[in-house]
Amino acid sequence: MLKVGIVGLPNVGKSTLFKTLTKKQVPCENFPFCTIEPNVGIVEVPDERLERLAERSKSEKTIPAAIEFVDIAGIVKGASKGEGLGNKFLSNIRETDMILHVVRAFEDPDVHHVEGGVDPKRDAETIETELALADIELVQKRLDGVRGRMKSGKTKELEKEESALAKLFAALEQGKMANTVALDEDEEKAVKGLLLLTRKPILYVVNVAESDIPSTGSGNIRFPELVEGRMAIPISVKIESEIVEMQPDEQKTFLAELGLPMSGLDRVIAKCYEMLGLITYFTSGEKETRAWTIPVGTKAPQAAGVIHTDFEKNFIRAEVIDWKDFVELGEAGAREAGKLRVEGKEYVMRDGDTCHFRVNA
C-alpha cells in the first residue's frame, strides 16, 4: 500500500488536512496486516470506474485502492537536532513512499504563525532545511563506515556505494535536496536502504484562503515564487473540511459553484499517484470488485502477484477487458463481442484494465 508522510510547520493546517482526509477512511478490515495508530489513516483513492464496474457485476463488495497517510507533529527549526522531538517525528516518515508538505498561505490573526508572519517560500525552505540536515547526518555516518570498510579491501559494490554517498553528501552540504542528485542504477540500489527524506518525491499542498483557490485547480497564482521548481497544489483546507461533511450530490453542486472539477483532497490523491508513476487495474465479479495499484510498466504476471504471490509463479495468461467495455457489455458480452484480449507473460498492463488471471492450481 502507498504510504505518504505529512510534514509542515505548526499551525499551517497540516493536522486539519489529515483529519479531513481520514473522514474518507476505508474500513481497516479490507486491508489485513495494517496496524492503525492515532496518527495513521488509510484513505480511499477516488475512482468512479470502480462503482460502475461493481454495478455491472452486481458485486457484493467493493474495495477501492488505498493510501496510508502518516501525520507527524509540526516540525520546527532545529528538528533535525531534536528540537520539538524532531528526530522521533522525522523517523516516523522515513519509510513512506513520498512526502506531502503543507505550507500556509492564508492570513488569519486568530491562528498564530510560529515565524511571526505568512511567508510560504520561507516556511517551505525551513522544512526542507530540516529534512536535508537529518539526511546529511545519515549520509555522513554511512559514508564514514563505507570508507572504513574500503581500507580492508575494495569491491565493486563498496565503490558504487561510496560514489553515491559522496554525490549525495556534496549536494546536501550545499543545501540542495537529495532528489536533485543523478545516480546510476547501481548507485541508486546501493543507497536505497537509507530511506533519505529528501530523496522522496515531495508534493507541496499550499493551504490558501477560499478567495485564492484558482478555478482550474492547476496552480497557486498568488505565490509563483513557492511553486517554482516544486510540484504544488493550492487548496483551502478549511473549505475541504466542510466539503467532506456534505452528501455526494451536495459536494458536486458546491464544487461546480467554485468552478472546480473535483475536490482538493481528490486532486491531492490523484497527484500522489501521478508523481509515483502508479496506475490502477481492476478485478470484478459477483463476490467483489476491487482496484489494485501497480507501477507503470508492470507486466501481467507481476500484476497478478499483487493479488497473491502464487499467482505470479503459476501465471498462465491474463484475460483483459478495458473497463469501459466491461461496464457496457459485462464479461460475457465483451467476450462475445471480441473485446476480451488474451495476454501472455510479456503483456504490459494499462490503466483501467479489468482482468481475470488464469493460473496453475
Side-chain angles (χ1 to χ4, degrees):
M1 186 185 301
L2 173 62
K3 287 183 73 171
V4 178
I6 307 176
V7 303
L9 289 168
N11 298 337
V12 296
K14 182 176 61 62
S15 293
T16 305
L17 176 65
F18 176 75
K19 287 174 187 172
T20 305
L21 278 165
T22 53
K23 284 185 178 157
K24 297 164 71 74
Q25 187 150 317
V26 173
C28 301
E29 62 267 20
N30 285 341
F31 301 92
F33 314 117
C34 291
T35 301
I36 307 304
E37 299 171 358
N39 63 337
V40 175
I42 294 178
V43 178
E44 175 182 341
V45 175
D47 196 327
E48 64 175 18
R49 299 172 296 182
L50 192 68
E51 292 301 329
R52 293 176 67 185
L53 287 165
E55 285 173 16
R56 163 55 77 173
S57 295
K58 296 182 172 57
S59 303
E60 295 172 16
K61 197 173 179 182
T62 304
I63 303 178
I67 296 180
E68 182 178 297
F69 285 95
V70 182
D71 182 36
I72 65 170
I75 296 173
V76 295
K77 279 184 181 177
S80 59
K81 301 298 180 187
E83 289 293 325
L85 299 179
N87 276 330
K88 178 178 181 292
F89 293 149
L90 290 174
S91 68
N92 287 345
I93 57 169
R94 282 217 177 268
E95 299 205 15
T96 59
D97 298 293
M98 67 179 288
I99 290 173
L100 207 64
H101 182 167
V102 184
V103 183
R104 176 176 169 179
F106 66 89
E107 299 281 358
D108 187 339
D110 295 327
V111 181
H112 172 71
H113 194 293
V114 291
E115 296 291 343
V118 174
D119 185 336
K121 186 170 186 289
R122 176 205 61 208
D123 294 351
E125 289 172 350
T126 296
I127 298 296
E128 288 168 356
T129 297
E130 292 305 322
L131 298 180
L133 287 170
D135 279 350
I136 199 169
E137 189 177 329
L138 205 60
V139 170
Q140 185 169 27
K141 188 176 179 182
R142 179 78 162 260
L143 186 56
D144 290 343
V146 168
R147 285 174 173 167
R149 293 205 305 277
M150 287 177 77
K151 289 176 183 176
S152 304
K154 293 183 179 181
T155 64
K156 183 184 175 183
E157 288 76 17
L158 282 174
E159 286 178 343
K160 280 292 182 183
E161 188 172 359
E162 196 271 344
S163 169
L165 290 167
K167 290 177 185 176
L168 291 166
F169 184 79
L172 290 164
E173 202 173 31
Q174 292 170 27
K176 297 177 183 175
M177 306 279 273
N179 59 17
T180 63
V181 179
L183 300 177
D184 67 30
E185 191 176 336
D186 290 332
E187 289 174 331
E188 189 71 64
K189 187 178 177 182
V191 296
K192 189 177 180 181
L194 270 179
L195 304 175
L196 296 178
L197 296 167
T198 63
R199 192 79 180 153
K200 301 178 190 296
I202 300 177
L203 175 61
Y204 294 80
V205 172
V206 187
N207 188 6
V208 300
E210 181 182 351
S211 58
D212 288 327
I213 302 173
S215 60
T216 60
S218 61
N220 184 9
I221 52 176
R222 283 194 61 202
F223 301 98
E225 75 282 357
L226 171 64
V227 176
E228 188 177 349
R230 299 177 175 93
M231 182 60 71
I233 290 181
I235 71 169
S236 167
V237 174
K238 182 174 180 291
I239 295 298
E240 293 298 323
S241 66
E242 295 170 7
I243 291 172
V244 83
E245 299 290 351
M246 299 176 183
Q247 294 300 314
D249 288 347
E250 291 178 314
Q251 288 183 13
K252 287 178 182 176
T253 303
F254 186 73
L255 289 168
E257 288 172 357
L258 289 175
L260 295 171
M262 65 175 82
S263 75
L265 296 185
D266 288 352
R267 283 190 291 120
V268 166
I269 293 169
K271 185 58 75 172
C272 289
Y273 258 56
E274 181 186 319
M275 289 177 70
L276 287 167
L278 300 173
I279 60 172
T280 303
Y281 80 85
F282 304 98
T283 52
S284 186
E286 287 185 13
K287 187 176 179 183
E288 71 174 35
T289 292
R290 184 162 184 161
W292 304 89
T293 301
I294 53 173
V296 170
T298 300
K299 292 183 178 179
Q302 287 70 50
V306 173
I307 299 174
H308 196 291
T309 51
D310 286 349
F311 284 15
E312 180 177 352
K313 288 186 289 185
N314 300 320
F315 179 89
I316 300 172
R317 66 180 182 273
E319 296 176 358
V320 184
I321 304 168
D322 181 84
W323 76 273
K324 288 181 183 176
D325 293 328
F326 193 105
V327 168
E328 183 185 347
L329 304 166
E331 185 171 0
R335 189 187 298 272
E336 289 170 13
K339 298 289 187 179
L340 183 150
R341 307 188 314 274
V342 177
E343 305 287 359
K345 292 182 178 180
E346 294 304 310
Y347 175 68
V348 177
M349 299 288 290
R350 302 173 192 165
D351 188 54
D353 280 348
T354 306
C355 301
H356 190 155
F357 295 108
R358 299 293 182 182
V359 297
N360 284 316

